[in-house]
């Protein structure tokens, strides 16, 4: 199977798990410098020697390269995680998000159709809900993305739906909710907060601390993806979240406790593009897949801090 973005945070954790289960994995990644590419090299270093693992360096924006790759390997399954992530940067560079997240996804869908891929799994995001006004977020509920990133993910979903309708490609769209854990991207809140608390640096908090996020531990997300890959589907959308949103103030307190140091906080106004709450209704994934997140926020933060210390970050 092909995992795009396989050297990243979620993709490398997923690859490890798939290899453990005896699956053959081709990882495609362009090691872009959105954050230090050396971290991505580290993520895949231990995998390179494992039987059944192949690393291919390349860009999903290169249509002909993607087509050739899929024709050469005849993948049964594609798990498409390569993307330009990050809400804030998407306000500054919307074009980049459309190029990678929309056109890149289109290239993969076309290649999947041409090469007879059996299952196409798309890594979407809770940001497609934006400030939809209805919580918890249900897959069939209203969508109102409020950032170019959210719009790019929603457009990717619509392309997947269309390839299912036009060409019968089996597609599953997975809406991940704020994923954290070892290897988490350094631009994400938990990673940034832990780093700053450890160094005694100021944390910038946007809003009054009451915003809530449905933080989901990476191993729970990976188990959800595995369950999808092993299920039969034609057209499916699943929320993969923890379904227990945590207030920003409580998150900070949990980090202070795990690190053993107080946070120095600077309060700033709300940021445009950030919704006030994310909250997954996971009944669809629970019912169909037996999806059941296991790692709560306290244990998850402790595990993240332990990893952070081991890595000497
Ligand atoms: P990540 O940045 O660690 O992983 C993405 C990988 O894609 C990186 O290794 C990057 O080098 C690669 N990539 C980027 N552009 C590429 C291109 N043009 N061609 C080939 N490879 C490219 O991010 P992540 O947090 O692991 O996210 C994985 C997926 O999950 C993304 O699609 C992201 O939008 C989605 N997602 C993540 C979260 C989260 O909380 N981490 C939440 C919702 C959705």
């Amino acid at each position: 199977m092909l995992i795009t973005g396989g050297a990243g945070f979620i993709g490398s954790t997923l690859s490890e798990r798939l290899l453990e289960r005896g699956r053959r994995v081709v990882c495609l990644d362009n090691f872009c410098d959105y954050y230090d590419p050396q971290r991505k090299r580290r993520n895949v270093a231990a995998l390179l020697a494992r039987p059944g693992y192949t690393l291919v360096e390349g860009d999903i924006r290169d249509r002909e390269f993607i087509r050739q790759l899929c024709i050469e390997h005849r993948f049964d399954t594609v798990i498409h995680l390569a993307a330009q992530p990050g809400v804030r940067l998407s306000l500054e560079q919307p074009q980049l998000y459309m190029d990678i997240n929309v056109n890149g996804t289109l290239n993969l869908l076309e290649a999947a159709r041409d090469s007879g891929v059996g299952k196409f799994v798309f890594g979407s995001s809770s940001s497609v809900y934006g400030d939809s006004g209805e919580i918890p977020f249900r897959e069939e509920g209203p969508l109102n993305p409020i950032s170019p990133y959210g719009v790019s993910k929603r457009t990717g979903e619509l392309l997947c739906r269309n390839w299912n309708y036009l060409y019968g490609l089996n597609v599953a769209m997975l809406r991940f909710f704020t994923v954290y854990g070892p290897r988490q991207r350094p631009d994400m809140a938990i990673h940034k907060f832990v780093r700053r608390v450890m160094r005694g640096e100021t944390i910038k908090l946007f809003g009054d601390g009451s915003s809530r996020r449905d933080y989901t531990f990476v191993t729970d997300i990976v188990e959800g993806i595995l369950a999808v890959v092993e299920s039969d589907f034609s057209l499916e959308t699943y929320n993969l979240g923890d379904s227990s949103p945590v207030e920003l103030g409580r998150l900070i307190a949990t980090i202070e406790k795990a690190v053993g140091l107080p946070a120095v906080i600077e309060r700033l106004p709300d940021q445009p593009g950030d919704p006030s709450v994310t909250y997954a209704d996971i009944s669809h994934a629970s019912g169909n897949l037996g999806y059941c997140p296991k790692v709560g926020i306290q244990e998850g933060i402790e595990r993240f801090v332990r990893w952070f210390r081991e890595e000497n970050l």
Side-chain angles (χ1 to χ4, degrees):
M1 80 173 60
L2 173 66
I3 305 184
T4 73
F9 163 44
I10 300 173
S12 63
T13 313
L14 174 67
S15 300
E16 250 169 33
R17 191 78 181 88
L18 284 163
L19 291 170
E20 269 169 30
R21 290 170 80 113
R23 301 290 297 246
R24 298 177 68 79
V25 171
V26 173
C27 159
L28 168 69
D29 207 293
N30 72 345
F31 294 87
C32 69
D33 63 0
Y34 173 62
Y35 63 91
D36 184 358
Q38 287 311 320
R39 287 182 194 238
K40 301 173 191 179
R41 302 260 170 221
R42 247 177 106 84
N43 291 344
V44 297
L47 301 176
L48 292 172
R50 301 267 289 267
Y53 185 79
T54 309
L55 174 64
V56 176
E57 295 196 31
D59 197 307
I60 60 168
R61 288 169 290 185
D62 185 341
R63 182 175 167 195
E64 190 49 32
F65 161 73
I66 294 297
R67 208 178 78 86
Q68 288 300 336
L69 181 76
C70 287
I71 286 174
E72 182 192 331
H73 287 270
R74 299 267 160 212
F75 300 112
D76 54 353
T77 303
V78 171
I79 305 178
H80 174 34
L81 301 177
Q84 178 56 50
V87 167
R88 303 227 168 106
L89 183 68
S90 79
L91 275 68
E92 288 163 31
Q93 295 186 42
Q95 196 72 49
L96 179 69
Y97 285 71
M98 300 307 145
D99 282 348
I100 298 177
N101 300 358
V102 178
N103 290 328
T105 299
L106 180 58
N107 290 341
L108 277 153
L109 285 166
E110 285 200 300
R113 179 192 57 159
D114 288 351
S115 63
V117 163
K119 295 180 183 177
F120 190 94
V121 179
F122 176 57
S124 187
S125 162
S126 61
S127 63
V128 299
Y129 293 106
D131 64 357
S132 66
E134 194 183 281
I135 54 166
F137 300 151
R138 289 175 304 111
E139 288 88 346
E140 301 308 322
L143 302 174
N144 187 27
I146 56 172
S147 65
Y149 170 70
V151 169
S152 73
K153 284 292 177 181
R154 179 59 186 147
T155 310
E157 288 188 355
L158 288 170
L159 286 169
C160 289
R161 293 189 86 86
N162 196 232
W163 256 241
N164 170 267
Y165 170 73
L166 291 175
Y167 309 114
L169 182 68
N170 298 318
V171 296
M173 292 156 280
L174 313 185
R175 294 176 179 159
F176 305 143
F177 283 68
T178 320
V179 190
Y180 73 107
R183 301 184 186 162
Q184 191 197 31
R185 299 195 327 257
D187 61 307
M188 293 188 72
I190 290 179
H191 194 137
K192 225 164 24 186
F193 293 168
V194 167
R195 185 171 63 233
R196 289 183 169 265
V197 172
M198 284 209 183
R199 295 178 184 167
E201 293 169 359
T202 306
I203 294 181
K204 289 184 179 157
L205 281 199
F206 298 99
D208 63 3
S210 65
S211 64
R212 292 185 298 153
R213 288 286 173 278
D214 199 357
Y215 300 104
T216 313
F217 201 71
V218 63
T219 51
D220 288 325
I221 291 288
V222 163
E223 290 310 310
I225 301 173
L226 284 179
V228 170
V229 167
E230 283 165 11
S231 68
D232 286 326
F233 55 82
S234 163
L235 176 67
E236 279 291 353
T237 306
Y238 288 111
N239 285 340
L240 294 182
D242 194 59
S243 204
S244 43
V246 175
E247 269 198 8
L248 188 55
R250 191 179 144 220
L251 177 76
I252 301 288
T254 311
I255 289 175
E256 289 178 315
K257 191 162 168 245
V259 172
L261 290 169
V264 186
I265 291 167
E266 179 190 354
R267 290 204 180 275
L268 294 165
D270 274 325
Q271 285 272 102
D274 278 341
S276 57
V277 61
T278 66
Y279 183 177
D281 178 327
I282 54 171
S283 48
H284 187 48
S286 311
N288 272 16
L289 309 167
Y291 171 71
C292 175
K294 294 191 174 59
V295 183
I297 191 72
Q298 196 173 323
E299 181 191 341
I301 296 284
E302 282 165 10
R303 282 166 70 170
F304 178 78
V305 169
R306 210 175 311 136
W307 168 81
F308 190 96
R309 287 195 163 121
E310 281 163 13
E311 293 285 307
N312 283 321
L313 290 171

